[in-house]
Amino acid sequence: PIKAGSIERIGLNFGAPGDRKTRDGTLWLDYPSVGGPSPKIRIETKPKQPTFHYRHSNWMKAGAGWPWVAASAVEGLQELTLHDLKPGRYTVRLHFAEIANINPGGRVQTIRLQGDAVLNRFDIRAEAKHRMTGIVRQSENVKVDGTLTLILEASTGQSLISGIEVIRVQ
């Protein structure tokens, strides 16, 4: 397992087939881990087994973020807690793409980080304009005491998120 309080930069790619490191230094881990050995990190989810979807990045249209992050997703996730982060302030990037045949208004959710709403009544399909188009929403200066909690509250349809990237800034 990773040493408590040692993680300063990490990405979780929900439903992805394996790990990948980007040029900017983020190690993106597949979650759940299916593509071979990965660093053991402590994550809790509610529900314990949400639905994961994998799509190949070739199906993605031009959009923001990494197409291989946006192509996969977790649906129906209500809460995720990531442990063992080094205390401090973080930039948190949330990656999304509507991968189902859902029209604007068909999936609406509020996203919270550390209890604070960062996206209210967020509609992936309306924001991205098209299906299979990645979008990224960034929150700055998120205070972390060692644990980061992401909450997804779906008001229409089920929640959906493709990935989360956390980068310690101070």
Side-chain angles (χ1 to χ4, degrees):
I2 299 289
K3 184 177 165 212
S6 65
I7 300 172
E8 294 189 50
R9 183 178 197 132
I10 195 166
L12 299 177
N13 192 358
F14 302 115
D19 300 344
R20 193 173 201 165
K21 189 168 185 177
T22 59
R23 279 172 269 146
D24 62 8
T26 298
L27 175 59
W28 283 90
L29 301 178
D30 57 342
Y31 188 82
S33 182
V34 296
S38 291
K40 300 285 182 246
I41 58 173
R42 289 193 307 140
I43 297 174
E44 298 166 25
T45 64
K46 292 179 189 169
K48 288 217 179 286
Q49 303 212 333
T51 303
F52 294 94
H53 299 281
Y54 167 71
R55 304 282 189 279
H56 194 281
S57 60
N58 284 349
W59 293 103
M60 298 303 295
K61 298 180 174 112
W66 301 105
W68 44 267
V69 172
S72 302
V74 59
E75 188 174 29
L77 180 66
Q78 297 164 358
E79 187 172 322
L80 178 133
T81 305
L82 174 60
H83 297 275
D84 301 327
L85 293 167
K86 186 171 185 176
R89 300 215 174 257
Y90 283 76
T91 295
V92 179
R93 294 184 187 125
L94 305 172
H95 294 250
F96 304 91
E98 184 53 69
I99 59 174
N101 193 18
I102 290 183
N103 291 320
R107 185 189 311 270
V108 179
Q109 57 193 344
T110 294
I111 312 290
R112 298 180 187 278
L113 290 170
Q114 306 298 64
D116 296 328
V118 293
L119 296 171
N120 283 303
R121 298 204 42 79
F122 181 65
D123 183 333
I124 299 167
R125 178 69 168 73
E127 293 281 328
K129 307 287 189 258
H130 304 283
R131 290 182 58 249
M132 303 302 285
T133 302
I135 54 175
V136 178
R137 294 297 179 262
Q138 182 167 303
S139 295
E140 306 278 347
N141 213 24
V142 177
K143 188 172 189 238
V144 172
D145 62 2
T147 301
L148 178 70
T149 302
L150 168 72
I151 296 173
L152 299 98
E153 301 166 340
S155 54
T156 305
Q158 290 204 342
S159 69
L160 187 79
I161 188 168
S162 297
I164 180 172
E165 181 179 21
V166 294
I167 303 164
R168 188 171 185 270
V169 292
Q170 66 178 32

